[in-house]
């Protein structure tokens, strides 16, 4: 099992996707380690929440631009630099996992893909917690948004079973 380090990007084991059976999750690509995720711990449940990251920056910049033109909030999609490389953080698609489902950290050119600036980490975590609160109140950001609340229940049950062993 990989030890979780705050600010790093990770890959998730295929087993997780099989366990939760969620049709809207972006499952692992067969021949590459994608997608990758930013992870943070939810102090309320103890679960890790993971935010899918995309390298399709232009696509998401256009979405953000359109939302801004229409006077709509876009905190559920943000462009954030990780190890100097822009990533689209898809907060609307985040979901919780247990630490045992982390496959490995994302390493590029022998270095961890990570955010080291504590202020940036705090801002990401704060935004994510606001989005989670909205999700727990039934807010849907997209028609293809994963059912994170259902996944959270599955992960809490599994965590409780693991703790009872």
């Amino acid at each position: 099992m990989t030890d979780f380090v705050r600010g790093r990007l990770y890959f998730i084991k295929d087993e997780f996707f099989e366990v939760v059976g969620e049709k809207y999750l972006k499952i692992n690509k067969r021949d590459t380690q994608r997608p990758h995720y930013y992870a943070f711990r939810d102090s309320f449940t103890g679960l890790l929440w993971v935010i899918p990251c995309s390298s399709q920056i232009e696509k998401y910049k256009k979405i953000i631009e359109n939302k801004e033109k229409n006077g709509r909030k876009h905190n559920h999609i943000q462009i954030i630099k990780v190890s100097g490389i822009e990533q689209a953080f898809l907060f609307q698609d985040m979901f919780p996992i247990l630490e045992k489902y982390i496959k490995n950290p994302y390493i590029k050119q022998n270095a961890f893909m990570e955010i080291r600036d504590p202020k940036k980490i705090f801002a990401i975590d704060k935004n994510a917690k606001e989005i989670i609160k909205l999700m727990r109140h039934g807010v849907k950001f997209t028609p293809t948004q994963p059912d994170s609340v259902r996944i959270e229940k599955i992960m809490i049950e599994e965590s409780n079973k693991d703790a009872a062993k």
Side-chain angles (χ1 to χ4, degrees):
M1 182 167 73
T2 300
D3 289 331
F4 167 71
V5 177
R6 196 168 176 228
R8 285 195 181 152
L9 300 187
Y10 292 95
F11 297 104
I12 296 175
K13 294 177 183 175
D14 291 336
E15 177 188 357
F16 168 80
F17 301 102
E18 294 162 12
V19 167
V20 297
E22 174 61 43
K23 65 181 175 182
Y24 292 125
L25 289 180
K26 292 164 179 51
I27 61 170
N28 291 333
K29 304 284 188 239
R30 189 154 291 221
D31 297 323
T32 64
Q33 287 201 72
R34 288 186 336 178
H36 52 280
Y37 302 86
Y38 172 87
F40 70 96
R41 190 167 308 279
D42 177 4
S43 57
F44 180 67
T45 63
L47 298 173
L48 290 179
W49 278 73
V50 293
I51 304 166
C53 298
S54 174
S55 57
Q56 296 179 49
I57 301 306
E58 293 310 312
K59 171 185 175 179
Y60 289 105
K61 280 184 177 177
K62 284 179 185 161
I63 291 171
I64 291 168
E65 191 177 295
N66 285 336
K67 287 186 178 295
E68 287 174 347
K69 271 188 210 170
N70 296 319
R72 295 173 43 213
K73 288 179 86 174
H74 61 82
N75 61 338
H76 59 283
I77 301 172
Q78 293 182 9
I79 308 299
I80 299 170
K81 278 194 176 181
V82 180
S83 297
I85 300 169
E86 285 188 326
Q87 301 281 318
F89 276 50
L90 308 178
F91 289 88
Q92 80 261 3
D93 294 331
M94 69 180 156
F95 54 91
I97 65 168
L98 295 172
E99 201 165 331
K100 70 181 185 180
Y101 290 119
I102 290 178
K103 183 175 182 179
N104 54 278
Y106 184 175
I107 298 172
K108 189 171 188 163
Q109 298 173 338
N110 295 320
F112 290 110
M113 288 291 288
E114 63 187 343
I115 297 170
R116 291 192 177 145
D117 180 350
K119 289 178 185 169
K120 193 186 264 189
I121 291 171
F122 177 80
I124 293 167
D125 292 1
K126 182 179 182 211
N127 186 61
K129 288 172 188 173
E130 290 172 12
I131 301 288
I132 291 169
K133 192 183 300 181
L134 292 170
M135 288 176 171
R136 287 179 178 148
H137 283 94
V139 173
K140 287 200 62 99
F141 297 94
T142 67
T144 58
Q145 178 178 317
D147 188 347
S148 296
V149 174
R150 183 184 73 81
I151 295 169
E152 184 176 47
K153 288 175 184 163
I154 293 169
M155 292 295 101
I156 289 170
E157 285 175 21
E158 188 172 330
S159 178
N160 291 339
K161 285 179 189 172
D162 289 350
K165 289 181 183 176

